[in-house]
Every structure is written in structure tokens, then in C-alpha cells.
Amino acid sequence: MSELLAVGNPDRGDDGVGPYVVAGLAGRLPKSKLLYSDGEVSDLIAIFARCSQLVLIDALDGPAAGMAPGQKLCLDANDPALAQAPLHASTHALGVVEAISLARSLEVLPKKLTVIAIAGESFVLGEGLSEAVACAADALIEELAAAFIEDAVHA
């Protein structure tokens, strides 16, 4: 069973989409472990080293990617397109993409790592999710719940 990792800060607008999605799954996926990270590279690498299958949920800088708020991007950690994904970086200017690259170099990348990012529009301190991102997050919660339940039935 995969573990779910929320990356982001719920007090920075759409950067809180990862924690929002994972919180929405709490209690619905009894056989899955729900994890949280603010996106610090050392924290992410430590989590990667402990997991064999991981679904990571984060915000994407929609304007930088040319994507509309709420659009979803789903990539395997080994997909070359991940290197160009403008995943929202932490306050130290390093983020998920850099953590994945470093974890790969250290040979601690999970065997299966799926990155799901939702394009945000505002990352202002003190704001909540924008309407488009909240709608996309709610849809992702239902999609993940159904997928994880289906996997559990066939496991």
C-alpha cells in the first residue's frame, strides 16, 4: 500500500493544497499512512528513505507553468518532465524536484514515487486556497480515495 505525503504550508495560500488533500483523506484510508512535510529537502529525503511506494501531493506554480489554477499534473519521479515542473519551492528556494534528484543520487528514492501537483495562483502568506484550487483538491480527494480503496480490495 502506498503512503501519501502532503507537501506545503497551509498558511501560504495555494501552497497548502497538499496538506488540504491529505487532511481530507484522514480516516478514509485506514491501511495507508498519511505524512506531512513543509518541503524542506532534508525532511523529504528522510521520508523518501523510509518509503517504498509514495504518492506526493504538492502545489505547482501555475503562472510559471502556463497552467490555469486548479489544473492537475501527475508525474512519475523518473519522468524527465519532472525536472522542468515548477513545483512550489520552500522558503530556502529548494523543493520537491531538488529533493527527488538528491534522493536519486543517494539511492534512497522510493521504488515507486508519484508526484501529483495542482496548479496554484496565489502563495501569499495568511491566505487559504483559491476557489479553483479548492475545487481541484476536493476532486483529487475523491479520486485518491477511490483508487486506494480499489487497490486495497485487489491486494
Side-chain angles (χ1 to χ4, degrees), residues 13-38:
D14 291 333
D15 190 44
V17 71
Y20 178 91
V21 169
V22 171
L25 291 166
R28 296 180 70 179
L29 307 175
K31 293 186 178 185
S32 297
K33 190 171 185 181
L34 306 178
L35 308 166
Y36 294 87
S37 174
D38 63 2

PDB file of all heavy atoms in Angstrom, residues 13-38:
ATOM      1  N   GLY A  13      -1.530  30.387   1.147  1.00  0.00           N
ATOM      2  CA  GLY A  13      -2.427  30.292   0.001  1.00  0.00           C
ATOM      3  C   GLY A  13      -2.467  28.905  -0.598  1.00  0.00           C
ATOM      4  O   GLY A  13      -2.596  27.906   0.116  1.00  0.00           O
ATOM      5  N   ASP A  14      -2.321  28.843  -1.913  1.00  0.00           N
ATOM      6  CA  ASP A  14      -2.446  27.577  -2.626  1.00  0.00           C
ATOM      7  C   ASP A  14      -1.312  26.597  -2.328  1.00  0.00           C
ATOM      8  O   ASP A  14      -1.415  25.414  -2.667  1.00  0.00           O
ATOM      9  CB  ASP A  14      -2.550  27.826  -4.130  1.00  0.00           C
ATOM     10  CG  ASP A  14      -3.869  28.503  -4.501  1.00  0.00           C
ATOM     11  OD1 ASP A  14      -4.861  28.315  -3.760  1.00  0.00           O
ATOM     12  OD2 ASP A  14      -3.904  29.208  -5.527  1.00  0.00           O
ATOM     13  N   ASP A  15      -0.255  27.040  -1.660  1.00  0.00           N
ATOM     14  CA  ASP A  15       0.806  26.130  -1.241  1.00  0.00           C
ATOM     15  C   ASP A  15       0.274  25.100  -0.247  1.00  0.00           C
ATOM     16  O   ASP A  15       0.874  24.057  -0.042  1.00  0.00           O
ATOM     17  CB  ASP A  15       1.972  26.915  -0.616  1.00  0.00           C
ATOM     18  CG  ASP A  15       3.197  26.046  -0.387  1.00  0.00           C
ATOM     19  OD1 ASP A  15       3.548  25.251  -1.285  1.00  0.00           O
ATOM     20  OD2 ASP A  15       3.807  26.154   0.688  1.00  0.00           O
ATOM     21  N   GLY A  16      -0.874  25.360   0.349  1.00  0.00           N
ATOM     22  CA  GLY A  16      -1.484  24.451   1.307  1.00  0.00           C
ATOM     23  C   GLY A  16      -2.303  23.336   0.693  1.00  0.00           C
ATOM     24  O   GLY A  16      -2.951  22.577   1.408  1.00  0.00           O
ATOM     25  N   VAL A  17      -2.271  23.182  -0.629  1.00  0.00           N
ATOM     26  CA  VAL A  17      -3.117  22.168  -1.270  1.00  0.00           C
ATOM     27  C   VAL A  17      -2.734  20.753  -0.853  1.00  0.00           C
ATOM     28  O   VAL A  17      -3.606  19.903  -0.661  1.00  0.00           O
ATOM     29  CB  VAL A  17      -3.147  22.332  -2.807  1.00  0.00           C
ATOM     30  CG1 VAL A  17      -1.831  21.937  -3.459  1.00  0.00           C
ATOM     31  CG2 VAL A  17      -4.314  21.559  -3.405  1.00  0.00           C
ATOM     32  N   GLY A  18      -1.460  20.457  -0.697  1.00  0.00           N
ATOM     33  CA  GLY A  18      -1.051  19.116  -0.272  1.00  0.00           C
ATOM     34  C   GLY A  18      -1.614  18.755   1.092  1.00  0.00           C
ATOM     35  O   GLY A  18      -2.292  17.727   1.238  1.00  0.00           O
ATOM     36  N   PRO A  19      -1.375  19.599   2.120  1.00  0.00           N
ATOM     37  CA  PRO A  19      -1.968  19.312   3.429  1.00  0.00           C
ATOM     38  C   PRO A  19      -3.495  19.241   3.391  1.00  0.00           C
ATOM     39  O   PRO A  19      -4.104  18.429   4.087  1.00  0.00           O
ATOM     40  CB  PRO A  19      -1.484  20.475   4.299  1.00  0.00           C
ATOM     41  CG  PRO A  19      -0.189  20.874   3.668  1.00  0.00           C
ATOM     42  CD  PRO A  19      -0.400  20.691   2.189  1.00  0.00           C
ATOM     43  N   TYR A  20      -4.139  20.055   2.567  1.00  0.00           N
ATOM     44  CA  TYR A  20      -5.596  20.045   2.446  1.00  0.00           C
ATOM     45  C   TYR A  20      -6.080  18.687   1.929  1.00  0.00           C
ATOM     46  O   TYR A  20      -7.022  18.103   2.459  1.00  0.00           O
ATOM     47  CB  TYR A  20      -6.032  21.173   1.504  1.00  0.00           C
ATOM     48  CG  TYR A  20      -7.519  21.250   1.262  1.00  0.00           C
ATOM     49  CD1 TYR A  20      -8.326  22.035   2.079  1.00  0.00           C
ATOM     50  CD2 TYR A  20      -8.120  20.560   0.212  1.00  0.00           C
ATOM     51  CE1 TYR A  20      -9.696  22.121   1.858  1.00  0.00           C
ATOM     52  CE2 TYR A  20      -9.481  20.637  -0.012  1.00  0.00           C
ATOM     53  CZ  TYR A  20     -10.267  21.415   0.809  1.00  0.00           C
ATOM     54  OH  TYR A  20     -11.624  21.493   0.585  1.00  0.00           O
ATOM     55  N   VAL A  21      -5.416  18.174   0.884  1.00  0.00           N
ATOM     56  CA  VAL A  21      -5.824  16.893   0.297  1.00  0.00           C
ATOM     57  C   VAL A  21      -5.612  15.752   1.289  1.00  0.00           C
ATOM     58  O   VAL A  21      -6.509  14.932   1.501  1.00  0.00           O
ATOM     59  CB  VAL A  21      -5.071  16.621  -1.026  1.00  0.00           C
ATOM     60  CG1 VAL A  21      -5.274  15.191  -1.498  1.00  0.00           C
ATOM     61  CG2 VAL A  21      -5.521  17.596  -2.111  1.00  0.00           C
ATOM     62  N   VAL A  22      -4.456  15.712   1.911  1.00  0.00           N
ATOM     63  CA  VAL A  22      -4.170  14.607   2.830  1.00  0.00           C
ATOM     64  C   VAL A  22      -5.084  14.678   4.051  1.00  0.00           C
ATOM     65  O   VAL A  22      -5.581  13.650   4.524  1.00  0.00           O
ATOM     66  CB  VAL A  22      -2.673  14.570   3.198  1.00  0.00           C
ATOM     67  CG1 VAL A  22      -2.395  13.574   4.300  1.00  0.00           C
ATOM     68  CG2 VAL A  22      -1.858  14.200   1.948  1.00  0.00           C
ATOM     69  N   ALA A  23      -5.369  15.873   4.536  1.00  0.00           N
ATOM     70  CA  ALA A  23      -6.313  16.002   5.659  1.00  0.00           C
ATOM     71  C   ALA A  23      -7.698  15.508   5.249  1.00  0.00           C
ATOM     72  O   ALA A  23      -8.407  14.891   6.046  1.00  0.00           O
ATOM     73  CB  ALA A  23      -6.383  17.449   6.134  1.00  0.00           C
ATOM     74  N   GLY A  24      -8.077  15.743   4.004  1.00  0.00           N
ATOM     75  CA  GLY A  24      -9.366  15.283   3.509  1.00  0.00           C
ATOM     76  C   GLY A  24      -9.457  13.768   3.379  1.00  0.00           C
ATOM     77  O   GLY A  24     -10.548  13.212   3.304  1.00  0.00           O
ATOM     78  N   LEU A  25      -8.308  13.108   3.350  1.00  0.00           N
ATOM     79  CA  LEU A  25      -8.274  11.651   3.254  1.00  0.00           C
ATOM     80  C   LEU A  25      -8.151  10.977   4.619  1.00  0.00           C
ATOM     81  O   LEU A  25      -8.283   9.759   4.721  1.00  0.00           O
ATOM     82  CB  LEU A  25      -7.107  11.218   2.360  1.00  0.00           C
ATOM     83  CG  LEU A  25      -7.282  11.557   0.883  1.00  0.00           C
ATOM     84  CD1 LEU A  25      -5.965  11.415   0.136  1.00  0.00           C
ATOM     85  CD2 LEU A  25      -8.351  10.675   0.258  1.00  0.00           C
ATOM     86  N   ALA A  26      -7.904  11.760   5.652  1.00  0.00           N
ATOM     87  CA  ALA A  26      -7.747  11.202   7.001  1.00  0.00           C
ATOM     88  C   ALA A  26      -8.993  10.420   7.390  1.00  0.00           C
ATOM     89  O   ALA A  26     -10.116  10.887   7.220  1.00  0.00           O
ATOM     90  CB  ALA A  26      -7.487  12.320   8.003  1.00  0.00           C
ATOM     91  N   GLY A  27      -8.787   9.213   7.871  1.00  0.00           N
ATOM     92  CA  GLY A  27      -9.894   8.362   8.282  1.00  0.00           C
ATOM     93  C   GLY A  27     -10.551   7.596   7.155  1.00  0.00           C
ATOM     94  O   GLY A  27     -11.347   6.689   7.394  1.00  0.00           O
ATOM     95  N   ARG A  28     -10.226   7.922   5.925  1.00  0.00           N
ATOM     96  CA  ARG A  28     -10.830   7.236   4.781  1.00  0.00           C
ATOM     97  C   ARG A  28      -9.952   6.130   4.224  1.00  0.00           C
ATOM     98  O   ARG A  28     -10.424   5.301   3.460  1.00  0.00           O
ATOM     99  CB  ARG A  28     -11.130   8.252   3.668  1.00  0.00           C
ATOM    100  CG  ARG A  28     -12.159   9.280   4.100  1.00  0.00           C
ATOM    101  CD  ARG A  28     -12.450  10.271   3.014  1.00  0.00           C
ATOM    102  NE  ARG A  28     -13.174   9.644   1.918  1.00  0.00           N
ATOM    103  CZ  ARG A  28     -13.572  10.303   0.837  1.00  0.00           C
ATOM    104  NH1 ARG A  28     -13.325  11.593   0.718  1.00  0.00           N
ATOM    105  NH2 ARG A  28     -14.224   9.678  -0.126  1.00  0.00           N
ATOM    106  N   LEU A  29      -8.682   6.148   4.571  1.00  0.00           N
ATOM    107  CA  LEU A  29      -7.735   5.175   4.044  1.00  0.00           C
ATOM    108  C   LEU A  29      -7.015   4.499   5.205  1.00  0.00           C
ATOM    109  O   LEU A  29      -5.853   4.772   5.480  1.00  0.00           O
ATOM    110  CB  LEU A  29      -6.709   5.862   3.132  1.00  0.00           C
ATOM    111  CG  LEU A  29      -7.267   6.728   2.011  1.00  0.00           C
ATOM    112  CD1 LEU A  29      -6.153   7.425   1.267  1.00  0.00           C
ATOM    113  CD2 LEU A  29      -8.115   5.903   1.064  1.00  0.00           C
ATOM    114  N   PRO A  30      -7.703   3.590   5.893  1.00  0.00           N
ATOM    115  CA  PRO A  30      -7.138   3.022   7.117  1.00  0.00           C
ATOM    116  C   PRO A  30      -5.835   2.256   6.929  1.00  0.00           C
ATOM    117  O   PRO A  30      -5.058   2.127   7.860  1.00  0.00           O
ATOM    118  CB  PRO A  30      -8.244   2.110   7.636  1.00  0.00           C
ATOM    119  CG  PRO A  30      -9.115   1.845   6.462  1.00  0.00           C
ATOM    120  CD  PRO A  30      -9.004   3.033   5.563  1.00  0.00           C
ATOM    121  N   LYS A  31      -5.560   1.744   5.743  1.00  0.00           N
ATOM    122  CA  LYS A  31      -4.339   0.981   5.529  1.00  0.00           C
ATOM    123  C   LYS A  31      -3.217   1.822   4.936  1.00  0.00           C
ATOM    124  O   LYS A  31      -2.171   1.297   4.601  1.00  0.00           O
ATOM    125  CB  LYS A  31      -4.624  -0.218   4.624  1.00  0.00           C
ATOM    126  CG  LYS A  31      -5.522  -1.247   5.273  1.00  0.00           C
ATOM    127  CD  LYS A  31      -5.647  -2.461   4.413  1.00  0.00           C
ATOM    128  CE  LYS A  31      -6.526  -3.488   5.133  1.00  0.00           C
ATOM    129  NZ  LYS A  31      -6.594  -4.738   4.390  1.00  0.00           N
ATOM    130  N   SER A  32      -3.418   3.115   4.805  1.00  0.00           N
ATOM    131  CA  SER A  32      -2.404   3.996   4.248  1.00  0.00           C
ATOM    132  C   SER A  32      -1.911   4.953   5.318  1.00  0.00           C
ATOM    133  O   SER A  32      -2.680   5.426   6.150  1.00  0.00           O
ATOM    134  CB  SER A  32      -2.983   4.804   3.080  1.00  0.00           C
ATOM    135  OG  SER A  32      -3.367   3.951   2.042  1.00  0.00           O
ATOM    136  N   LYS A  33      -0.639   5.234   5.241  1.00  0.00           N
ATOM    137  CA  LYS A  33      -0.039   6.181   6.171  1.00  0.00           C
ATOM    138  C   LYS A  33      -0.053   7.566   5.528  1.00  0.00           C
ATOM    139  O   LYS A  33       0.338   7.729   4.369  1.00  0.00           O
ATOM    140  CB  LYS A  33       1.396   5.750   6.488  1.00  0.00           C
ATOM    141  CG  LYS A  33       2.017   6.521   7.613  1.00  0.00           C
ATOM    142  CD  LYS A  33       3.338   5.870   7.993  1.00  0.00           C
ATOM    143  CE  LYS A  33       3.916   6.566   9.207  1.00  0.00           C
ATOM    144  NZ  LYS A  33       5.203   5.969   9.586  1.00  0.00           N
ATOM    145  N   LEU A  34      -0.498   8.560   6.274  1.00  0.00           N
ATOM    146  CA  LEU A  34      -0.563   9.931   5.784  1.00  0.00           C
ATOM    147  C   LEU A  34       0.568  10.725   6.429  1.00  0.00           C
ATOM    148  O   LEU A  34       0.705  10.762   7.649  1.00  0.00           O
ATOM    149  CB  LEU A  34      -1.915  10.558   6.123  1.00  0.00           C
ATOM    150  CG  LEU A  34      -3.148   9.773   5.645  1.00  0.00           C
ATOM    151  CD1 LEU A  34      -4.419  10.472   6.079  1.00  0.00           C
ATOM    152  CD2 LEU A  34      -3.118   9.578   4.143  1.00  0.00           C
ATOM    153  N   LEU A  35       1.380  11.356   5.599  1.00  0.00           N
ATOM    154  CA  LEU A  35       2.558  12.075   6.058  1.00  0.00           C
ATOM    155  C   LEU A  35       2.483  13.540   5.652  1.00  0.00           C
ATOM    156  O   LEU A  35       1.847  13.876   4.645  1.00  0.00           O
ATOM    157  CB  LEU A  35       3.817  11.448   5.446  1.00  0.00           C
ATOM    158  CG  LEU A  35       3.976   9.937   5.618  1.00  0.00           C
ATOM    159  CD1 LEU A  35       5.061   9.414   4.691  1.00  0.00           C
ATOM    160  CD2 LEU A  35       4.289   9.615   7.061  1.00  0.00           C
ATOM    161  N   TYR A  36       3.170  14.392   6.400  1.00  0.00           N
ATOM    162  CA  TYR A  36       3.198  15.828   6.109  1.00  0.00           C
ATOM    163  C   TYR A  36       4.632  16.324   6.107  1.00  0.00           C
ATOM    164  O   TYR A  36       5.452  15.867   6.904  1.00  0.00           O
ATOM    165  CB  TYR A  36       2.414  16.615   7.167  1.00  0.00           C
ATOM    166  CG  TYR A  36       0.937  16.331   7.154  1.00  0.00           C
ATOM    167  CD1 TYR A  36       0.406  15.286   7.877  1.00  0.00           C
ATOM    168  CD2 TYR A  36       0.079  17.129   6.401  1.00  0.00           C
ATOM    169  CE1 TYR A  36      -0.952  15.018   7.864  1.00  0.00           C
ATOM    170  CE2 TYR A  36      -1.280  16.873   6.379  1.00  0.00           C
ATOM    171  CZ  TYR A  36      -1.792  15.820   7.109  1.00  0.00           C
ATOM    172  OH  TYR A  36      -3.129  15.555   7.083  1.00  0.00           O
ATOM    173  N   SER A  37       4.935  17.285   5.229  1.00  0.00           N
ATOM    174  CA  SER A  37       6.239  17.935   5.190  1.00  0.00           C
ATOM    175  C   SER A  37       6.058  19.368   4.713  1.00  0.00           C
ATOM    176  O   SER A  37       5.223  19.638   3.851  1.00  0.00           O
ATOM    177  CB  SER A  37       7.187  17.202   4.236  1.00  0.00           C
ATOM    178  OG  SER A  37       8.394  17.915   4.088  1.00  0.00           O
ATOM    179  N   ASP A  38       6.880  20.254   5.262  1.00  0.00           N
ATOM    180  CA  ASP A  38       6.852  21.635   4.776  1.00  0.00           C
ATOM    181  C   ASP A  38       7.656  21.790   3.493  1.00  0.00           C
ATOM    182  O   ASP A  38       7.691  22.850   2.895  1.00  0.00           O
ATOM    183  CB  ASP A  38       7.352  22.602   5.852  1.00  0.00           C
ATOM    184  CG  ASP A  38       8.796  22.373   6.256  1.00  0.00           C
ATOM    185  OD1 ASP A  38       9.457  21.487   5.683  1.00  0.00           O
ATOM    186  OD2 ASP A  38       9.271  23.079   7.170  1.00  0.00           O
TER     187      ASP A  38
END
